[in-house]
Amino acid sequence: MGKKIAGLVFALLVFFCIGGPIKGVESHEEVFQPDVSRFADRAEEYLPVKQNIKTTTAGVLTGRASWYGPGFDGRLTASGEVYNQSALTAAHRELAFGTKVRVTNLSNGKSVLVTINDRGPYVAGRHLDLSRAAAEQVDMVEQGVAEVKMEVIP
């Protein structure tokens, strides 16, 4: 009797955790297809925002940078490298992996040289995601987001 109750509890737990059967869906593949139509009115939040990046001179851009760290440490980046929050790296939506960029915090003049090894950020109005170590170098960890100058180094 105990095994039957345990089995029933397990089946109910699984049923409620996965949300039960989905009406009108023939296979699991259909369930996991992204429905981008619901984001159509907010597409700029999810797509690269080239128009918000201001080119000041050849290879020099200004924009907003944020940083990412603990939750991503040890995970694979878009380039296939393992993310290390202690390395001087950054994520950019378009620059080639391996590109060197000098990032200068416009509020204090501090700068750091980073290597692009990931994609992002995917938040509207942000153009660069620095590793925690890079954010520490330009003294922006506390505020989280800063206006920066990005100089692509040939």
Side-chain angles (χ1 to χ4, degrees), residues 16-136:
F16 287 110
C17 286
I18 64 169
I22 300 172
K23 295 178 183 173
V25 175
E26 299 295 323
S27 71
H28 291 290
E29 292 170 4
E30 291 180 41
V31 174
F32 297 106
Q33 294 300 317
D35 177 15
V36 294
S37 64
R38 62 188 169 145
F39 301 115
D41 60 329
R42 298 184 347 218
E44 68 279 355
E45 294 178 37
Y46 301 95
L47 299 173
V49 187
K50 292 181 187 177
Q51 65 272 19
N52 288 344
I53 299 175
K54 298 176 220 153
T55 302
T56 54
T57 62
V60 179
L61 310 167
T62 59
R64 294 177 63 79
S66 51
W67 68 273
Y68 67 126
F72 296 92
D73 204 41
R75 295 172 58 184
L76 286 181
T77 63
S79 68
E81 293 178 30
V82 174
Y83 177 71
N84 177 358
Q85 66 178 344
S86 300
L88 298 177
T89 59
H92 190 274
R93 294 184 199 117
E94 299 163 357
L95 292 175
F97 297 135
T99 301
K100 303 285 187 192
V101 179
R102 179 166 312 284
V103 180
T104 304
N105 185 335
L106 294 176
S107 68
N108 61 24
K110 293 182 178 182
S111 65
V112 64
L113 185 64
V114 297
T115 303
I116 303 299
N117 74 339
D118 205 359
R119 291 291 174 233
Y122 295 104
V123 175
R126 295 190 193 167
H127 307 103
L128 195 68
D129 254 344
L130 299 173
S131 65
R132 180 179 178 94
E136 288 171 351

Side-chain angles (χ1 to χ4, degrees), residues 1-13:
M1 180 76 168
K3 288 184 181 180
K4 287 184 180 180
I5 292 175
L8 179 60
V9 169
F10 178 74
L12 288 172
L13 182 64

